[in-house]
Amino acid sequence: MTELITALNGVTATTTSGAINIEDAKKVVLQYQRAAHSSGSTVFTATVSVDGTNYVTYNKWIVNAANANTEGVTRVGSVTLSANGVGFLTMDPDDSFKYIKVTATETTDGTHSAWIYKVLDN
């Protein structure tokens, strides 16, 4: 079973989503988008929590980056879009949290959207 949750829907200023339950998810993917770009950029980040009260920055996103097999996966804490575009990050499958919040930090302009795709079984 899978679920697609809208975290941010075309927001036009720096915004943090509400808490999204990802408990029991086997896989978590963050898809992000910047639209209506004129100038500036959007930085997408996330915080995670095991108790719903204390949140910490998640810095182990696996990014869709081309590299040699010997280099392993590339991990990041944030991604920046400086033009219209879309991308995705995958949460390390060895990590598990109860909640996640997504933040889009705007510089200048644009609309910003993000979705959490969670897989509850394999």
Side-chain angles (χ1 to χ4, degrees):
M1 187 164 89
T2 62
E3 189 175 353
L4 181 64
I5 301 151
T6 300
L8 301 171
N9 189 9
V11 299
T12 58
T14 296
T15 305
T16 299
S17 73
I20 298 167
N21 187 322
I22 57 170
E23 187 175 28
D24 299 326
K26 304 292 185 224
K27 296 178 185 177
V28 176
V29 175
L30 167 61
Q31 182 171 323
Y32 52 90
Q33 180 179 30
R34 177 175 170 83
H37 171 81
S38 175
S39 63
S41 62
T42 308
V43 178
F44 292 91
T45 57
T47 56
V48 291
S49 175
V50 295
D51 61 8
T53 301
N54 301 295
Y55 283 83
V56 297
T57 301
Y58 188 70
N59 288 313
K60 289 178 54 184
W61 289 110
I62 298 170
V63 67
N64 184 27
N67 60 12
N69 289 339
T70 57
E71 294 176 309
V73 296
T74 301
R75 297 178 189 277
V76 297
S78 66
V79 290
T80 302
L81 290 178
S82 298
N84 291 334
V86 64
F88 71 91
L89 300 169
T90 304
M91 186 173 275
D92 187 308
D94 292 332
D95 292 343
S96 66
F97 301 95
K98 188 167 185 176
Y99 298 104
I100 188 168
K101 293 180 181 181
V102 179
T103 299
T105 303
E106 174 187 275
T107 302
T108 308
D109 68 10
T111 60
H112 329 287
S113 299
W115 301 267
I116 294 292
Y117 180 70
K118 64 181 186 178
V119 178
L120 297 170
D121 52 25
N122 292 334

